[in-house]
C-alpha cells in the first residue's frame, strides 16, 4: 500500500507531457497531494506549491512520487540527491519508470538505512494468462489515440466519474503507471511479457453483469512506431464494445518521432475499428475526445464544433467541458 499524502517530483521535465504522471495525480487525486518539487531547468509547473523535501514532510507528505515519464523511463543521476534526500527525511519512494528503484543500489541502500519503502508500480503483480479471445459478459469502453499522451486516461476517468454520478455500473481499469497510482490497482501493461499482454487485459476486465461498463485506460497509439504493440494487445484483450477517439489539438507530429505526422481521426477510426472487430464484431466508434488544454476558449470551442461536423460523432473535451455527451452516446 503506497502511503499518502504524496509529494510530486517533476524533476527536469521539459514539457507538460513529460510530467504527465504528476499532473494526472494532481488533477484526479488532489486531496492526496501536498506539493511539487522540481529541478533547475524544469519547463513545466503543476500550479501547486513548490516545496522542499523538508517542507513537504512538515506538511505531512509520506511518499515522494516520481511524476516524470521520460523517454525510456530511466532514473537520471541528477535526480538522485532529491530521491535519496526524501528517504533520509523519512518518506517512501514510488515510481512508475521502467528503470526500477529496486535496481539502483544507492537508492536501495538509503531505503534500508532509513527504514523506508520503495514502490515500483511498473512491476506486474500477478501471473497473467495467454489471451483466449473468448467473448465474455459485461461491456467495455476503450480510448484509442492519434498519438501517445493525448488524454486517453483523462477521458476514461471523466466518463467513469460521470457514470458513477448517474448510478451507472462502471469501473475504471488502469493499464499504466499513472492510472495505477490514481486508482490503486491495475495492470502495468507495457511491463508485461509480450505473449501475455492481451491476456493480462482479459484478466483485468473479466466477465461481469450485462449492464456493467469497464472504462479501460488506453495506451500508446496504433500509429506510433515505438508503442503500437501495446495498443494492439490492449484492443484485443479488452474486446471493446465501444471506442472513443482521442486527440491532442496542439499536436501535429508524433511525440518522440518528429518525422511522423499524426493520422487523421478518420484514419484512426478505420484502423482501430478494424482491429477491434477482429475480437468483437459489434464494436463501434461512439465519440471523439479532444484535449484542448493548449487552446483558448474560443479556439477550443471552434475545434470541437469543427471536429464534430467532420466526423459526425459526439465531440467534446471531457476534462474542460464535461463528458456528458460521450456518456450519453455510450449508453444511448
Amino acid at each position: 500500500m503506497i502511503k499518502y499524502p504524496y509529494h510530486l517530483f517533476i524533476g527536469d521535465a521539459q514539457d507538460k507531457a513529460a510530467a504527465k504522471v504528476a499532473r494526472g495525480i494532481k488533477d484526479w487525486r488532489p486531496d492526496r497531494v501536498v506539493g511539487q518539487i522540481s529541478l533547475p531547468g524544469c519547463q513545466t509547473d503543476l500550479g501547486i506549491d513548490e516545496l522542499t523535501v523538508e517542507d513537504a514532510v512538515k506538511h505531512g507528505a509520506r511518499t515522494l512520487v516520481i511524476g516524470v515519464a521520460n523517454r525510456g523511463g530511466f532514473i537520471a543521476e541528477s535526480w538522485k540527491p532529491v530521491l535519496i534526500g526524501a528517504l533520509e527525511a523519512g518518506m517512501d519512494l514510488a515510481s512508475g519508470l521502467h528503470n526500477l528503484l529496486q535496481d539502483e543500489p544507492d537508492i536501495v541502500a538509503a531505503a534500508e538505512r532509513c527504514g523506508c519503502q520503495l514502490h515500483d508500480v511498473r512491476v506486474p503483480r500477478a501471473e497473467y494468462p495467454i489471451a483466449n479471445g473468448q467473448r465474455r459478459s459485461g461491456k467495455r469502453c476503450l480510448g484509442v489515440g492519434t498519438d501517445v499522451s493525448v488524454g486517453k486516461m483523462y477521458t476514461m476517468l471523466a466518463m467513469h466519474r460521470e457514470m458513477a454520478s448517474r448510478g451507472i455500473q462502471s469501473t475504471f481499469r488502469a493499464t499504466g503507471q499513472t492510472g495505477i497510482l490514481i486508482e490503486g490497482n491495475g495492470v502495468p501493461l507495457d511491463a508485461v511479457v509480450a505473449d501475455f499482454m492481451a491476456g493480462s487485459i482479459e484478466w483485468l476486465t473479466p466477465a461481469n453483469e450485462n449492464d456493467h461498463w469497464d472504462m479501460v485506460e488506453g495506451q500508446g497509439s496504433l500509429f506510433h512506431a515505438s508503442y503500437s504493440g501495446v495498443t494492439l494487445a490492449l484492443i484485443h484483450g479488452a474486446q471493446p464494445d465501444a471506442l472513443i477517439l482521442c486527440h491532442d489539438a496542439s499536436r501535429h507530429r508524433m511525440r518522440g518521432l518528429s518525422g511522423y505526422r499524426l493520422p487523421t481521426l478518420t484514419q484512426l477510426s478505420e484502423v482501430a475499428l478494424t482491429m477491434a472487430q477482429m475480437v468483437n464484431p459489434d464494436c463501434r466508434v461512439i465519440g471523439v475526445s479532444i484535449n484542448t488544454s493548449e487552446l483558448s476558449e474560443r479556439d477550443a470551442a471552434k475545434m470541437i464544433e469543427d471536429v464534430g461536423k467532420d466526423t459526425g460523432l459526439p465531440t467534446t473535451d471531457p476534462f474542460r467541458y464535461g463528458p456528458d455527451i460521450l456518456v450519453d452516446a455510450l449508453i444511448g
Side-chain angles (χ1 to χ4, degrees):
M1 186 69 179
I2 301 175
K3 302 171 187 173
Y4 57 86
Y6 305 139
H7 194 35
L8 303 178
F9 175 76
I10 57 175
D12 49 4
Q14 293 302 293
D15 56 30
K16 289 174 63 174
K20 68 175 186 177
V21 177
R23 190 170 298 279
I25 296 170
K26 186 269 295 186
D27 285 344
W28 294 98
R29 293 290 184 268
D31 56 312
R32 297 184 181 182
V33 175
V34 301
Q36 69 178 30
I37 182 167
S38 60
L39 295 175
C42 184
Q43 298 297 311
T44 191
D45 189 286
L46 302 178
I48 57 178
D49 292 339
E50 177 82 19
L51 301 175
T52 65
V53 164
E54 293 75 17
D55 286 340
V57 170
K58 290 178 183 177
H59 281 75
R62 303 183 70 187
T63 302
L64 181 75
V65 176
I66 297 179
V68 187
N70 54 19
R71 187 170 175 81
F74 65 92
I75 297 172
E77 286 299 317
S78 60
W79 301 354
K80 295 283 187 72
V82 173
L83 304 186
I84 293 174
L87 291 168
E88 292 174 341
M91 277 195 276
D92 294 341
L93 277 185
S95 171
L97 297 171
H98 286 295
N99 179 182
L100 303 180
L101 295 168
Q102 65 192 33
D103 291 337
E104 295 294 314
D106 49 354
I107 291 177
V108 171
E112 291 176 349
R113 183 174 68 251
C114 301
C116 296
Q117 294 186 317
L118 302 178
H119 300 278
D120 284 305
V121 176
R122 235 181 188 137
V123 175
R125 303 294 181 186
E127 293 289 332
Y128 302 124
I130 292 176
N132 59 35
Q134 295 178 5
R135 295 295 299 275
R136 53 200 187 275
S137 59
K139 298 178 181 179
R140 292 155 198 91
C141 178
L142 173 67
V144 290
T146 53
D147 194 8
V148 301
S149 303
V150 293
K152 299 181 290 293
M153 182 190 73
Y154 274 56
T155 301
M156 293 299 105
L157 281 167
M159 293 180 69
H160 167 59
R161 178 180 287 178
E162 174 63 20
M163 293 165 79
S165 73
R166 298 188 192 188
I168 300 168
Q169 292 191 69
S170 170
T171 303
F172 172 69
R173 302 295 188 181
T175 62
Q177 72 271 31
T178 311
I180 292 171
L181 285 164
I182 291 170
E183 186 66 13
N185 57 68
V187 169
L189 185 57
D190 58 9
V192 176
V193 173
D195 279 359
F196 301 93
M197 287 197 297
S200 72
I201 301 304
E202 288 186 352
W203 175 89
L204 182 68
T205 60
N208 216 315
E209 296 180 29
N210 289 332
D211 59 351
H212 178 279
W213 281 96
D214 278 338
M215 308 304 291
V216 186
E217 177 188 5
Q219 296 294 331
S221 170
L222 288 170
F223 292 83
H224 199 291
S226 303
Y227 308 117
S228 57
V230 70
T231 312
L232 184 56
L234 183 56
I235 291 172
H236 284 171
Q239 295 184 352
D241 297 276
L243 297 174
I244 306 287
L245 308 181
C246 301
H247 175 65
D248 186 328
S250 65
R251 197 88 57 85
H252 303 287
R253 298 278 178 177
M254 288 284 182
R255 182 167 174 80
L257 298 176
S258 59
Y260 288 80
R261 292 190 63 84
L262 266 63
T264 65
L265 287 165
T266 299
Q267 290 173 319
L268 172 62
S269 177
E270 291 173 350
V271 173
L273 193 58
T274 297
M275 296 297 103
Q277 288 181 341
M278 290 180 180
V279 291
N280 183 354
D282 297 326
C283 183
R284 58 197 176 98
V285 175
I286 62 101
V288 181
S289 172
I290 305 289
N291 178 352
T292 65
S293 59
E294 297 297 320
L295 301 185
S296 68
E297 189 70 26
R298 179 179 178 180
D299 289 345
K302 185 176 189 310
M303 181 163 196
I304 287 171
E305 180 181 4
D306 290 346
V307 169
K309 289 179 179 178
D310 290 344
T311 63
L313 293 167
T315 302
T316 190
D317 180 332
F319 191 68
R320 189 172 193 167
Y321 300 120
D324 302 66
I325 64 171
L326 297 179
V327 172
D328 291 343
L330 184 67
I331 65 175

